[in-house]
Amino acid sequence: MSEAKHYYQDNALFLDGVNLNDVANQHDTPCYVYSRSAIEEAWTEYDHAFGSAPHLVCYAVKANSNIAILNLMAKLGSGFDIVSLGELERVLAAKGDPAKVIFSGVGKKEVEIKRALEIGIKCINIESEQELYRVKDAAADMGVKAPISLRVNPNVDAKTHPYISTGLKENKFGIDIDEALRIYIDASKMDSIEVTGVDCHIGSQLTDDSPYFDAIDKLIILMDKLKDNGINLHHIDIGGGLGICYDDETPPAKGEYVKRLVAALAEQGLEIIVEPGRSIVGNAGYFLTTVEFLKSNEEKNFAIVDGAMNDLLRPSLYSAWQRIIPLKDNSQAETKVYDIVGPVCETGDFLGKERELAIEPGDILAVCSAGAYGFSMSSNYNSRPKVAEIMVDNGTSHQIRQRESITEMFAAEELLP
Ligand code: LLP
């Protein structure tokens, strides 16, 4: 449903009725382009699948935090999963409802906790006993009660890339499930704490949903023990992490997954929260980059493009594979096998390896499935300004972020006196 929406027409690549060559001509490359309808459909698929079951879809802001995208979510009625003060302020700037915001992350500072309490956040997901005490003190200082859940580490293997697996004992995230009961009991006695839920997030890019249900089995056992101790929760938050198709992966459809979730939790009678990021924006986004040079030696053909690891880090950091297609429909032309590399001074600077393409200098390529963890992980490495972002919508396009200028890039820096 919400998978990629591009198509070739008149020898050009289109997205949501917009010729991507026009976008590149108008805004230059490199740049990111997102399809509004793909984002809306993906969010709605989650939301509708819950039917009448009490629920909240909290978009994981870290996947793509452009405020136009957050505003789109707010208009849909979405909640938000945030992990920093910066993300919180973005949500507020995008007119997100603070009462639908949940705050995850292992290292929340006092100033972040206080701001979250000040704006009336829905829930703070506590990731350690130390953090519980920090939240308790912050709320007591402010004379309020902090709504909290414990992020429990259920020790299940999400079977995903080790850098994005979070639910194992060896990971820094959450509270050991064997410790959770004791900490819940302590929390329930604190005047400035209101225990409202339980939370877990076991990893990202899961292509099989069985680890979620292993985690739920463990959470249900914990919740039964909590009930025995007079602690009745209001919600269960099962985190994000549902995978998308980059190549030939076959992750469960969002709607099917949600229906299984609702069934597995039916007897609990709680509000169900999910925190999807990638599966809402991932396949709605494309990274456009121009071929500058073609360069060959006995071993390799390189296509040197104007986009680089600082703009799109996933291939370099996780050896992630993302489809790369030309904006011209070159399917009839003779192909060669290229490594698609950027101008950054690192051997690890590549967007794709061994890709069969028919290209020449000046051609524009689209890196697919770039809507999640693309722009949001970009940096100024090699003093490369942040790129522009454009939203296409039913034949029209809107710039949602200007390309950073060179002077803006170092405006906050100062010469020594
Ligand atoms: N909730 C929490 C607490 C999280 O830590 C994350 C992602 C999510 C929700 C959303 O997960 P999603 O639905 O997007 O999988 N940079 C990596 C992914 C890191 C994910 C970090 N946490 C990548 O590019 O693959």
Side-chain angles (χ1 to χ4, degrees):
M1 273 255 307
S2 55
E3 293 304 309
K5 287 201 145 192
H6 63 260
Y7 52 94
Y8 286 100
Q9 188 179 306
D10 304 329
N11 194 29
L13 190 68
F14 278 71
L15 181 65
D16 249 359
V18 174
N19 184 333
L20 293 182
N21 280 301
D22 295 342
V23 173
N25 289 336
Q26 196 182 341
H27 300 281
D28 204 359
T29 62
C31 67
Y32 280 93
V33 190
Y34 312 112
S35 154
R36 176 175 179 161
S37 63
I39 296 173
E40 287 175 337
E41 281 172 25
W43 188 90
T44 307
E45 188 180 345
Y46 270 109
D47 193 53
H48 282 183
F50 279 100
S52 60
H55 69 279
L56 186 61
V57 180
C58 288
Y59 168 65
V61 173
K62 63 172 81 68
N64 188 322
S65 52
N66 184 293
I67 63 166
I69 290 181
L70 301 183
N71 180 243
L72 194 57
M73 299 292 166
K75 285 190 176 123
L76 291 167
S78 187
F80 298 89
D81 168 54
I82 58 144
V83 293
S84 69
L85 183 57
E87 288 191 349
L88 177 56
E89 297 298 344
R90 277 180 179 276
V91 168
L92 298 177
K95 304 191 172 69
D97 179 355
K100 292 184 179 173
V101 175
I102 53 174
F103 195 172
S104 305
V106 292
K108 300 174 198 80
K109 290 172 80 77
E110 187 188 347
V111 54
E112 298 182 303
I113 294 165
K114 286 194 164 165
R115 177 72 175 141
L117 294 174
E118 180 184 75
I119 56 114
I121 201 161
K122 180 178 172 71
C123 189
I124 299 181
N125 293 340
I126 301 285
E127 299 232 12
S128 64
E129 198 168 1
Q130 296 85 330
E131 188 177 65
L132 173 63
Y133 281 90
R134 183 174 282 182
V135 172
K136 165 187 170 265
D137 292 344
D141 264 6
M142 295 171 67
V144 297
K145 251 178 170 334
I148 64 116
S149 76
L150 296 194
R151 173 169 175 184
V152 167
N153 184 331
N155 196 28
V156 299
D157 187 355
K159 300 191 188 77
T160 180
H161 189 286
Y163 286 10
I164 52 176
S165 171
T166 51
L168 283 170
K169 274 193 199 273
E170 68 203 55
N171 302 131
K172 70 178 175 185
F173 298 98
I175 291 172
D176 194 321
I177 192 152
D178 302 325
E179 294 284 311
L181 177 61
R182 177 183 63 77
I183 300 174
Y184 264 115
I185 292 172
D186 288 350
S188 70
K189 294 179 188 147
M190 295 174 180
D191 289 340
S192 60
I193 292 288
E194 187 185 353
V195 173
T196 61
V198 64
D199 164 52
C200 77
H201 170 78
I202 56 175
S204 197
Q205 184 54 14
L206 273 74
T207 49
D208 167 14
D209 63 9
S210 59
Y212 287 113
F213 297 97
D214 296 343
I216 285 173
D217 289 346
K218 294 188 174 187
L219 292 182
I220 289 177
I221 294 171
L222 171 65
M223 288 191 290
D224 285 344
K225 289 187 195 155
L226 292 176
K227 276 184 215 146
D228 292 345
N229 284 274
I231 300 173
N232 293 302
L233 303 180
H234 166 266
H235 71 252
I236 175 166
D237 176 350
I238 197 68
L242 197 64
I244 61 170
C245 176
Y246 285 99
D247 182 8
D248 55 4
E249 304 89 337
T250 51
K254 292 176 271 296
E256 297 305 313
Y257 161 65
V258 165
K259 283 181 188 146
R260 284 198 283 277
L261 209 56
V262 171
L265 290 166
E267 280 175 26
Q268 306 300 317
L270 302 179
E271 179 186 33
I272 304 172
I273 298 179
V274 288
E275 304 170 355
R278 187 193 316 263
S279 52
I280 292 186
V281 289
N283 275 329
Y286 295 75
F287 177 65
L288 303 187
T289 184
T290 302
V291 178
E292 297 291 333
F293 304 109
L294 297 179
K295 177 173 167 180
S296 298
N297 60 29
E298 292 107 64
E299 298 274 316
K300 287 267 185 195
N301 299 310
F302 295 103
I304 300 171
V305 296
D306 64 356
M309 64 187 290
N310 72 296
D311 308 310
L312 177 59
L313 182 61
R314 304 191 66 259
S316 301
L317 188 60
Y318 314 113
S319 303
W321 190 96
Q322 295 187 215
R323 189 173 306 284
I324 300 179
I325 55 177
L327 296 202
K328 278 195 293 193
D329 182 2
N330 288 336
S331 50
Q332 305 304 320
E334 204 184 317
T335 61
K336 274 191 189 171
V337 174
Y338 293 97
D339 281 5
I340 315 298
V341 300
V344 162
C345 301
E346 300 266 356
T347 302
D349 176 29
F350 63 90
L351 299 178
K353 288 198 167 166
E354 307 203 335
R355 303 304 175 88
E356 197 175 337
L357 290 163
I359 44 175
E360 49 193 47
D363 282 0
I364 301 171
L365 302 175
V367 184
C368 303
S369 310
Y373 307 109
F375 188 93
S376 65
M377 291 179 78
S378 68
S379 76
N380 287 124
Y381 187 42
N382 276 213
S383 287
R384 291 168 51 85
K386 298 277 188 100
V387 304
E389 293 176 286
I390 292 99
M391 179 83 78
V392 295
D393 177 16
N394 198 17
T396 62
S397 70
H398 310 275
Q399 180 167 269
I400 58 170
R401 182 184 172 108
Q402 281 177 19
R403 186 178 303 283
E404 190 177 33
S405 70
I406 301 271
T407 43
E408 282 163 350
M409 184 174 56
F410 56 75
E413 297 171 35
E414 288 183 25
L415 296 174
L416 287 171

